[in-house]
Amino acid sequence: MTTEQLPEAYARYVAGLEHSQADAILPVLRQSAADGERGVLVRFLPNEVQAMASEDVPFGTIREERYDD
C-alpha cells in the first residue's frame, strides 16, 4: 500500500513528518487503513516515536500524545 492508497488525512500527516518519523509511523497507518476500523495513536517520546492502531481513536483519525517536553 502506497501513501496514495491511504486515507487523505493519513497521507497529509505522514507528508509533514521527518523521514525517520514517517518510517516509524507508516506501517501502522497502513495497518489501520487495511482494517478500516481503528485510528492511530502516535506517541512522541524524548528519543523515539511510537505508533499503534487504537480502538479509542476513530478510523481515519490520528491522535498525538507528546512526552518530549
Side-chain angles (χ1 to χ4, degrees):
M1 178 179 293
T2 66
T3 55
E4 294 82 27
Q5 296 170 310
L6 292 173
E8 185 177 333
Y10 288 7
R12 276 194 319 266
Y13 184 82
V14 80
L17 296 174
E18 296 176 16
H19 185 70
S20 61
Q21 292 174 334
D23 285 348
I25 295 170
L26 196 52
V28 180
L29 296 177
R30 289 179 177 140
Q31 175 189 2
S32 171
D35 79 22
E37 296 179 8
R38 299 173 290 167
V40 176
L41 175 62
V42 179
R43 291 182 177 150
F44 290 93
L45 304 170
N47 296 314
E48 66 181 314
V49 62
Q50 299 174 342
M52 62 202 76
S54 173
E55 293 178 0
D56 296 330
V57 181
F59 173 71
T61 304
I62 299 169
R63 182 176 22 177
E64 291 183 348
E65 294 179 352
R66 294 193 173 267
Y67 302 95
D68 55 355
D69 295 330

